[in-house]
Amino acid sequence: MARQSTPMNRKTLSRAEREARIQRWILLATAGVVVLVILILSGGFFYEQVIWPDQPVASVDGRPIRTREFQKRFRFAYDSLRQQVDFLERQIAALDPNDPNQSSIADLYRQQILQINRQFDDPALLGRAILQRMIDEQLIRTEAERRGIQIPPATVDREIEQRFGFIRETPTPLGSPTPTVTPGTGTPLPTPFPTPTPMSEASFRALYAAQLQRWEGELGFTESDYRAMIEAELLEQALREAFAQEVLTREEHVDVRLITAETLDLANDLYRQIQTEGFEKVFGEVQAGKVVSATAQNLGWTPLGGLSPVYGDELERIVFATPVLSVTSVITSPLGYHIIWVAGREDRELAPPYLRVRQQQAFEDWLQRQRTDPNRVRYFDWQNRIPRAALMPSARR
């Protein structure tokens, strides 16, 4: 006869319910912890991969330079420096250390490697330079756009080709053939230097494609990034030329005669002599070598900036403030003690060296004003956005 099951009493039933309820709580708590961990990890991943790279390190005219852009440029610059070191080390290895000339070249290469390694040792300094360059590029693009300056894509193409060593042949214009010189009897012919084999277009394209693949795979630096960087450099060149065209070619010059004494006592004696005998007489005696420890120079017509590199800003300021046909008091400079006669003052054409300096300075002065304009340029927390790999000692040379 089958045994009948004994019904559970109230006490046994209550205990089973409690155990089942506890198990459900444990399962729910475990599931909650798992979900919380997943949310934390997902949130961290989302912040690390989406939010953090999108945050700005600087802005120009309200347009942000984002972390991801800064980090790509940093990795590219860092890689370029390492490639330079590798190239210089190969060059050193190929030189003969027993040849004095080649040994000097090797020392020069080692100095360059040392300078690059100093940049590796200070990633913050390198990062500041890279960020400044990125800011400059935006300032330059805006000004170029305002002036209607554009760089055609074909010009960017040609620049990239040349940087990789591919020079397209320029068609030879039609016309009379170039005459050849036939050497006479006994005329030695110069030994031609070896001509490097020109790179073919196919070789360039293969090299360029391989480099782009490496840049994008190792650095996250794409062809668009590279072309934008090259375009910015070409825009800068065009903008420099535009600023140069706006520089005035004529400006005030002074006609300067200068007496220099080695001691202050001698300079004071010469100054007193000038007061009684006139500058020209004393100048002639010094120029003729009749005064020991003093020299006389006719510096001629000099624009602003022509005296300060040698004699200092203070001397130049005094000279340009001195009336024509007047003599200065004794002026001290690193080269000695000077008495100066301003023989003339007039607007004249700038000599080419001075004009080139003015033209270069016009662009640099403009760029510096834009950099320091708080209404245009703002900086954020860029120091903590330097790629971590660059901060590791193992990443340095």
Side-chain angles (χ1 to χ4, degrees), residues 1 28 34 50 98 159 167 228 231 261 297 330 378-379:
M1 182 176 178
L28 289 173
V34 171
V50 179
N98 298 318
E159 181 67 20
I167 309 298
E231 181 191 36
Q297 294 175 278
V330 177
R378 294 183 61 195
Y379 293 87

Side-chain angles (χ1 to χ4, degrees), residues 2 18 26 91 118 128 162 195 207 211 235 247 266 273 307 367 378 382 391 395:
R18 285 199 303 272
I26 292 173
Q91 294 298 309
R118 286 173 181 164
R128 180 181 294 277
Q162 292 179 19
T195 303
L207 177 61
Q211 188 67 280
L235 281 172
V247 173
L266 176 58
Q273 186 178 349
L307 298 172
L367 184 57
R378 294 183 61 195
W382 63 268
L391 302 176

